[in-house]
Amino acid sequence: TFKDLPLEMIHRLIPNFFNLGGGATGFLNIGGNLGKTNFNYVASIDNAVFDKIYLGSLKSKGNYNGSFLSVEYAESNDNFDRIVSRGDVPFDLNLKSDNFGQFFKDKNINYSASAKLASMSFLSTYITELDSISGIINIDLSLSGPSSAIMRNGEITLSNSSIHTMLINNPIIGVDGKGVLNNNKLNIENFKGSSINVRDKNFEKIKDNISVKGMIDF
């Protein structure tokens, strides 16, 4: 059992693993052997961080069978942002393994996540030209296949959203859009918004002056 355990200590065990942060409380039961390690866990994490993304409070339950980390649930909440995920990830977490903390290359991931967000801070964290995206944002995403060729499927919708970027002077406001991700190809079905000064007397006549359609291959 553990309480307020700093997750930074995991990097002493797995030096090249994803950056983790926060204080964890819960329990961990370990069994099996060094070559095929088994465990199950229940944990809650305050101020959780994954890579560069701040998740807020996170709760998770799962188990490991020597081949797959099976996440029964992982739910994070940060103000108005909520992310729920579950599935199986082929991590090598066997204590004797030389590849501890890495993916099994010959096994497939099967993981799904859904999010209801008021912001997309996980994008602005990685894209320097993007200040922020805020609004009503819904995301469904599934990951499958081997780690070397993960297949992504899902959908994203934006309603009454705003995008602030250093690439243009005025923010893009009143954004509504939908994108469907099918086998790593994101089809932008519709995207419209206004990048004009709202104090312009002609605002109502020239709003929705940005429209985007197309496809992005990931």
Side-chain angles (χ1 to χ4, degrees):
T1 60
F2 47 91
K3 183 177 181 180
D4 297 327
L5 181 73
L7 291 183
E8 289 86 350
M9 68 163 292
I10 291 180
H11 297 285
R12 298 183 182 182
L13 302 174
I14 318 175
N16 298 319
F17 199 60
F18 294 99
N19 176 54
L20 300 176
T25 298
F27 72 82
L28 173 69
N29 294 324
I30 302 178
N33 54 60
L34 295 179
K36 188 174 182 180
T37 305
N38 302 319
F39 65 79
N40 60 78
Y41 73 91
V42 174
S44 60
I45 304 170
D46 293 325
N47 299 312
V49 175
F50 180 82
D51 200 25
K52 297 181 180 180
I53 303 169
Y54 181 79
L55 296 172
S57 62
L58 185 146
K59 296 180 179 180
S60 183
K61 178 181 180 181
N63 63 82
Y64 184 69
N65 64 2
S67 297
F68 288 92
L69 175 63
S70 296
V71 179
E72 185 175 327
Y73 64 81
E75 177 182 328
S76 68
N77 290 276
D78 178 34
N79 293 324
F80 298 105
D81 294 345
R82 180 172 182 263
I83 303 172
V84 178
S85 65
R86 65 184 303 273
D88 301 320
V89 184
F91 276 134
D92 186 351
L93 299 176
N94 297 296
L95 295 176
K96 192 179 179 181
S97 175
D98 293 333
N99 297 313
F100 187 79
Q102 300 181 31
F103 285 108
F104 283 112
K105 296 182 179 180
D106 58 342
K107 300 182 186 297
N108 291 341
I109 186 175
N110 182 18
Y111 204 83
S112 61
S114 61
K116 295 183 181 298
L117 308 173
S119 66
M120 294 178 70
S121 56
F122 61 89
L123 274 185
S124 54
T125 300
Y126 294 98
I127 303 174
T128 56
E129 295 85 0
L130 181 64
D131 285 339
S132 65
I133 300 177
S134 59
I136 303 172
I137 304 157
N138 293 291
I139 300 174
D140 288 300
L141 176 66
S142 68
L143 307 174
S144 60
S147 61
S148 59
I150 293 177
M151 196 64 69
R152 303 163 183 84
N153 290 278
E155 182 177 298
I156 179 172
T157 61
L158 292 88
S159 302
N160 195 27
S161 300
S162 300
I163 301 173
H164 292 254
T165 171
M166 292 183 288
L167 298 176
I168 53 179
N169 291 330
N170 297 316
I172 306 173
I173 60 174
V175 175
D176 293 306
K178 178 180 179 180
V180 176
L181 184 61
N182 184 23
N183 294 337
N184 286 344
K185 294 182 179 179
L186 176 63
N187 181 37
I188 303 172
E189 294 189 350
N190 64 77
F191 179 99
K192 63 179 182 179
S194 305
S195 179
I196 45 184
N197 192 327
V198 294
R199 292 172 291 183
D200 192 315
K201 295 180 180 180
N202 296 316
F203 175 74
E204 288 299 325
K205 295 181 180 180
I206 60 176
K207 70 177 183 179
D208 291 340
N209 63 337
I210 290 182
S211 177
V212 178
K213 287 188 177 181
M215 188 268 290
I216 302 173
D217 192 341
F218 289 102

